[in-house]
Amino acid sequence: MQLLKALWALAGAALCCFLVLVIHAQFLKEGQLAAGTCEIVTLDRDSSQPRRTIARQTARCACRKGQIAGTTRARPACVDARIIKTKQWCDMLPCLEGEGCDLLINRSGWTCTQPGGRIKTTTVPSLKKARPQSPCCYQLPLCCS
């Protein structure tokens, strides 16, 4: 009798999970991003100069109200729009854990300093130039130098 109850409970749970997945698939169709997430669409690297790599990436983000595409832990992420407006880049935690973040003097970007002394500099194009290429895609800096 206990085994039969357990089997019915297990079958009910499985059916419930299946229904949740079906409903979720209806709301989140293929190609759509969940709110508050980003994905890298293109990544271009140029290592033609010695000791310097220039990288550019385009990310597709589905940010919530009050957020905009930015960088967190060296990955595209939705960040508070205030950070972008005030150019307080280090507030979005753009560097990897263990790296130090410093604003460039003219606030055109930031540097991430690794414990060994290696410095990665990221510059942000002016907001006028950083317009979306389509309603969902933004050109984001990766890391330069």
Side-chain angles (χ1 to χ4, degrees), residues 65-70 79-89 91-92 103 106-107 124-127:
K65 187 175 182 178
Q67 292 184 323
I68 193 167
V79 298
D80 188 343
R82 175 196 55 81
I83 293 170
I84 308 300
K85 285 182 182 177
T86 61
K87 297 184 177 182
Q88 294 295 322
W89 309 115
D91 287 355
M92 64 182 172
L103 287 175
N106 61 2
R107 291 193 178 184
V124 179
S126 71
L127 295 178

Side-chain angles (χ1 to χ4, degrees), residues 4 17 33 40 43 48 59 62 70 74 85 94 98 112-113 124 128 130 132 137:
L4 188 59
C17 288
L33 294 175
I40 296 173
L43 177 61
S48 61
K85 285 182 182 177
C112 295
T113 307
V124 179
K128 292 176 188 172
C137 299

Side-chain angles (χ1 to χ4, degrees), residues 7-121:
L7 287 174
W8 276 110
L10 187 60
L15 181 62
C16 184
C17 288
F18 177 73
L19 288 175
V20 167
L21 286 173
V22 169
I23 292 170
H24 180 67
Q26 289 298 323
F27 287 110
L28 189 64
K29 294 191 170 43
E30 188 176 329
Q32 287 184 322
L33 294 175
T37 62
C38 296
E39 68 178 4
I40 296 173
V41 178
T42 61
L43 177 61
D44 301 311
R45 291 184 187 271
D46 177 8
S47 300
S48 61
Q49 299 177 19
R51 295 177 41 102
R52 184 174 179 164
T53 298
I54 299 173
R56 288 183 183 82
Q57 69 182 17
T58 303
R60 187 171 76 117
C61 296
C63 298
R64 294 181 171 97
K65 187 175 182 178
Q67 292 184 323
I68 193 167
T71 305
T72 299
R73 299 284 179 230
R75 303 275 306 153
C78 293
V79 298
D80 188 343
R82 175 196 55 81
I83 293 170
I84 308 300
K85 285 182 182 177
T86 61
K87 297 184 177 182
Q88 294 295 322
W89 309 115
C90 291
D91 287 355
M92 64 182 172
L93 305 173
C95 302
L96 295 171
E97 193 157 336
E99 294 179 339
C101 181
D102 293 301
L103 287 175
L104 296 178
I105 293 171
N106 61 2
R107 291 193 178 184
S108 64
W110 65 89
T111 61
C112 295
T113 307
Q114 295 177 338
R118 182 171 176 237
I119 298 174
K120 296 181 291 183
T121 302

